[in-house]
Amino acid sequence: MHADSFHSSLKAWLFFNPVNADEGPFTYVPGSHRLTPERLAWERARSLADPRVVDRLSARGSPRIADSQLESLRLPSSRGLAVPANTLVVADTVGFHCRGTSRRPGERVELWSYARRNPYLPWLGGDPSSLPGIAERRVGLIWAARDRLAQWIGQPWQPVGKRRPVDHQHPKADHPASPQDG
């Protein structure tokens, strides 16, 4: 499990197909978004660790935590969210979360979004990247830059071509439904 950053940020997933408990559901530690004294002490101890002995993603600001450490932070165990199709899940991702374990290969069809403002701006609003003309192109510009710089900084997203959601009612899900299919 991990936290996305040291400050609150929002992520949302609209799951178009059902996600069963054994299919890698979104997993969250309830209450882990609260910056309790235990959480702050844990964050401080992590910040003082030698980055050469901490995993790469934790060293870059997205700390990882083992289930066995949750009790010392007075947190409950993580909970996987098995959800029916068309479920919206919204989470503060300063809380510990992950994609759960899946017992078999599967396909997840979802709409994903996030909102993470710059935590170093001392005011709300006024972020130049939120100006009209920039805001609506910001993500595309960042991804295009990552494509161009992939050999130096990596690129987690890979093109897979055009895909359609799994249609559990129609076995030929790879073909568009015709009007008579209902």
Side-chain angles (χ1 to χ4, degrees):
M1 282 181 295
H2 66 280
D4 284 354
S5 63
F6 64 91
H7 61 91
S8 287
S9 60
L10 175 96
K11 280 189 178 174
W13 298 261
L14 175 58
F15 296 105
F16 291 112
N17 53 358
V19 180
N20 295 316
D22 62 350
E23 294 178 321
F26 176 76
T27 301
Y28 197 85
V29 177
S32 63
H33 66 290
R34 294 186 188 99
L35 299 179
T36 63
E38 294 83 4
R39 172 72 183 265
L40 291 173
W42 182 85
E43 293 276 356
R44 183 175 190 283
R46 298 282 299 206
S47 74
L48 298 173
D50 183 344
R52 294 172 294 190
V53 298
V54 176
D55 69 271
R56 181 180 66 84
L57 293 171
S58 290
R60 292 183 65 190
S62 180
R64 274 44 189 162
I65 189 167
D67 282 328
S68 60
Q69 294 176 288
L70 294 174
E71 191 175 329
S72 68
L73 274 68
R74 299 175 68 187
L75 291 169
S77 297
S78 61
R79 294 186 191 158
L81 299 177
V83 296
N86 298 317
T87 298
L88 176 65
V89 174
V90 180
D92 181 346
T93 55
V94 74
F96 298 120
H97 63 284
C98 67
R99 182 172 182 166
T101 303
S102 182
R103 293 209 171 122
R104 61 188 165 279
E107 182 172 73
R108 172 98 17 99
V109 182
E110 64 189 40
L111 179 66
W112 170 78
S113 70
Y114 72 96
R116 184 183 301 161
R117 68 179 303 276
N118 184 333
Y120 299 108
L121 292 178
W123 60 84
L124 294 176
D127 182 352
S129 67
S130 295
L131 291 172
I134 298 172
E136 21 331 305
R137 296 190 311 230
R138 176 177 45 203
V139 171
L141 292 170
I142 291 169
W143 288 355
R146 287 204 66 150
D147 286 342
R148 281 190 217 90
L149 302 172
Q151 66 183 5
W152 297 287
I153 63 171
Q155 175 54 283
W157 304 106
Q158 301 298 321
V160 296
K162 290 186 178 185
R163 304 294 304 266
R164 289 190 172 83
V166 176
D167 185 343
H168 294 285
Q169 294 177 347
H170 301 288
K172 301 265 185 196
D174 56 326
H175 299 291
S178 65
Q180 61 267 34
D181 287 336

